[in-house]
Amino acid sequence: MTRQPQAQQVLAPPARAAVFLVLTVRPGAEDDVRALLADVGGLTRAVGFRSPEGGLTCVAGIGAALWDRMYGTPRPAGLHPFRAVAGARHTAPATPGDLLFHLRARHLDLCFELARQLTERLGGRADVVDEVHGFRYFDERDLLGFVDGTENPAGAEAATVVTVGGEDPGFAGSSYVVVQKYLHDLSAWGALSVEEQERAIGRKKLSDIELSDDVKPSNSHVALNTVEDADGDQLQIVRDNMVFGSVGSAEFGTYFIAYSADPGVTEQMLQNMFVGRPAGNHDRILDFSTAVTGCLFFVPTIDFLEDPPAADAAGAQAPADADAAGAHAPADGSLGIGSLRRSTPA
């Protein structure tokens, strides 16, 4: 019997703390990065063994440009540079990122120590371009005061939602992840009444119950984040967002992180939020929350990281150049994600 590839721990148990590291890799450091990625599991076990109850995990993601430089195989089907989404009033920017490390544990010290070990190994080879230390906030709420992640699928459905399957058999068992950092204007948000906040989100603030369709505005966050396929079946992603902030600099935010088998689902949600559905009917939450980063990464299986294909100096560079020029964007301006059917459980 053929052994199934082992997935990274995308669906880790709920954590109280997280560190998100986004790095760019310097030219010529590709072999060292490949070696580090093969050792991520060992480093995580070594740090986590000192506090077994801490539940330390690490997910490693690879960006499109680094993939082209580092591997001699074609890209996974859904891997491309993050595409900025510009609406009439708000923009989801695309920012640099070759590597993502998503560290989770019950205690921040474990995440911090593993982050230190990873960056020490990459010293002089890669640069941290974004570092966020996240924490759980009371009863799973964000800094806007609402419960975050209510609609996440669970169990077997969650595994289906995040796991690449037969649609890209060479990368079965892998996942995609989109990350964005949002900064909140808490003063402006706090000036709204609770009823106005609930209409912006589409849920009751205290109970977390979704507003009925006859009350929920079409530009509410919940309404615009509901994506369906051609048959009317709702498509899902798995969010593991975290709160972060700095009191002294008055920086308060949410680190958005979404895992899926098809990044097109997340991309459609962002299109709905920033452009609007219909165009101009943007997500009301964006009037108080500003996206300042945006990256897309591929999350290979552990088997791939530990035994990657041989490097090929003549690796396929054309896809990166084409994506950068927007050559793969459909002529009609859509995201070209079809029915998005793959992300719905069979």
Side-chain angles (χ1 to χ4, degrees):
M1 174 181 279
T2 304
R3 187 179 71 86
Q4 294 298 312
Q6 184 179 0
Q8 295 192 60
Q9 203 166 349
V10 168
L11 299 176
R16 301 302 303 176
V19 170
F20 305 93
L21 292 176
V22 176
L23 304 95
T24 53
V25 174
R26 298 181 185 180
E30 293 80 9
D31 288 345
D32 292 327
V33 171
R34 285 159 57 96
L36 170 66
L37 290 174
D39 288 346
V40 164
L43 285 172
T44 303
R45 289 189 293 272
V47 174
F49 187 78
R50 295 153 61 181
S51 181
E53 74 286 353
L56 177 65
T57 65
C58 176
V59 173
I62 302 167
L66 180 60
W67 183 281
D68 293 336
R69 291 162 50 194
M70 198 160 60
Y71 298 119
T73 60
R75 287 184 200 163
L79 182 59
H80 53 260
F82 182 90
R83 296 169 181 143
V85 182
R89 291 187 55 186
H90 304 289
T91 297
T95 51
D98 291 325
L99 288 174
L100 168 72
F101 293 113
H102 179 198
L103 317 180
R104 290 174 280 190
R106 295 188 181 93
H107 313 291
L108 185 58
D109 56 347
L110 287 167
C111 300
F112 181 85
E113 176 62 15
L114 181 54
R116 192 179 70 83
Q117 294 293 337
L118 291 168
T119 54
E120 187 174 279
R121 279 280 299 271
L122 290 172
R125 300 167 179 84
D127 300 291
V128 176
V129 294
D130 194 33
E131 175 181 354
V132 173
H133 295 202
F135 54 91
R136 291 293 177 197
Y137 191 61
F138 294 105
D139 51 337
E140 304 296 331
R141 296 180 185 267
D142 58 26
L143 289 175
L144 302 179
F146 286 77
V147 176
D148 195 5
T150 302
E151 293 299 325
N152 270 351
E157 182 183 6
T160 299
V161 164
V162 302
T163 307
V164 173
E167 74 280 7
D168 196 4
F171 296 103
S174 302
S175 300
Y176 294 88
V177 60
V178 170
V179 296
Q180 293 177 292
K181 183 163 67 175
Y182 286 85
L183 298 180
H184 305 316
D185 184 344
L186 293 187
S187 295
W189 179 254
L192 298 181
S193 68
V194 171
E195 291 76 14
E196 288 177 301
Q197 292 179 356
E198 291 175 342
R199 288 173 60 81
I201 298 296
R203 290 185 176 278
K204 288 289 187 180
K205 191 169 187 178
L206 179 61
S207 68
D208 189 39
I209 301 300
E210 186 173 335
L211 300 180
S212 61
D213 290 341
D214 60 335
V215 174
K216 181 173 54 192
S218 62
N219 67 344
S220 68
H221 187 62
V222 169
L224 290 174
N225 274 265
T226 300
V227 176
E228 298 178 344
D229 66 13
D231 296 326
D233 297 321
Q234 185 173 346
L235 301 169
Q236 300 278 6
I237 59 176
V238 172
R239 302 168 178 83
D240 199 8
N241 302 347
M242 280 284 195
V243 167
F244 68 91
S246 173
V247 175
S249 60
E251 181 181 82
F252 308 107
T254 296
Y255 199 91
F256 170 77
I257 179 165
Y259 289 101
S260 64
D262 177 2
V265 180
T266 309
E267 291 173 324
Q268 186 62 62
M269 291 179 178
L270 296 179
Q271 185 84 0
N272 293 350
M273 289 175 61
F274 286 84
V275 175
R277 188 178 60 191
N281 190 47
H282 69 265
D283 192 332
R284 175 73 168 129
I285 201 174
L286 296 179
D287 295 335
F288 308 93
S289 300
T290 302
V292 295
T293 69
C295 296
L296 167 65
F297 300 95
F298 182 68
V299 179
T301 62
I302 293 173
D303 303 67
F304 185 96
L305 291 180
E306 293 184 347
D307 187 20
D312 180 0
Q317 296 297 323
D321 297 336
D323 274 328
H328 292 306
D332 63 1
S334 70
L335 292 171
I337 55 179
S339 70
L340 307 175
R341 186 183 303 276
R342 171 60 186 85
S343 294
T344 303

